[in-house]
Amino acid sequence: MIDKEKFEESTEFVSRFYEEGAFKPRYSFGLAAHLKRRRAIRWVAASVAGVAFAASAVLIGYHYSAKETASEPVIITEIATPEVTPSPEAIIRLEFNDAPLAEVVKGVEEAYGVKLYNIPQENLHLTLSYEGNAEDFVEAVNEVLGTNIKIEK
């Protein structure tokens, strides 16, 4: 009789808590977890691929925009003294961004009112931000580029 009571108790428990579809395979822990894990892995892989694609697009865009802006020399001249005519002793701020040496020479001659000679014919470019007089500027350029440019006196 003990078995019969246990059976009835089990039957009553099952009938009280029974839900339709509770024993379908898609709700089982092993299979559902496996399917969810595979789906999650796909989403993670797709997300990583999307991020990598976006990052490479940004880097490529930056690379090409940097090449376009670097080819244009930027020459900014600010005269710090109230003099009207340029002089070799004037303190002037000059900035060059990947500028060819010919453009640098032209900018220096116009800013300081000097004539430079002994300029190499090589295709040299210069990126420099400088504030000072003509003689110190020419010394700095000679040191950076390994040239022997001189100011005509």
Side-chain angles (χ1 to χ4, degrees), residues 7-147:
F7 178 76
E8 286 179 6
E9 187 179 312
S10 297
T11 307
E12 181 182 329
F13 177 82
V14 169
S15 62
R16 192 172 342 138
F17 295 105
Y18 174 76
E19 287 185 28
E20 179 131 5
F23 297 108
K24 290 186 178 179
R26 66 182 173 143
Y27 292 116
S28 70
F29 291 109
L31 184 59
H34 178 70
L35 291 176
K36 286 181 182 176
R37 197 175 314 122
R38 286 183 69 189
R39 199 173 305 136
I41 289 172
R42 288 182 188 154
W43 277 103
V44 168
S47 299
V48 168
V51 168
F53 179 73
S56 64
V58 167
L59 288 175
I60 289 170
Y62 176 75
H63 179 70
Y64 283 113
S65 68
K67 278 187 176 179
E68 289 174 5
T69 57
S71 64
E72 300 174 11
V74 177
I75 301 171
I76 301 172
T77 305
E78 299 173 7
I79 300 177
T81 60
E83 299 177 32
V84 177
T85 59
S87 75
E89 291 81 27
I91 304 297
I92 300 174
R93 178 177 174 79
L94 296 172
E95 290 188 22
F96 300 98
N97 184 14
D98 194 31
L101 188 57
E103 299 256 347
V104 172
V105 168
K106 181 179 173 186
V108 170
E109 288 176 346
E110 289 176 5
Y112 291 108
V114 296
K115 182 71 175 148
L116 301 178
Y117 68 96
N118 203 15
I119 300 161
Q121 298 300 318
E122 301 170 26
N123 187 16
L124 299 174
H125 287 257
L126 182 69
T127 300
L128 178 72
S129 178
Y130 183 82
E131 186 171 342
N133 61 26
E135 188 175 317
D136 292 339
F137 180 84
V138 171
E139 282 181 28
V141 170
N142 285 337
E143 187 176 323
V144 169
L145 297 178
T147 58

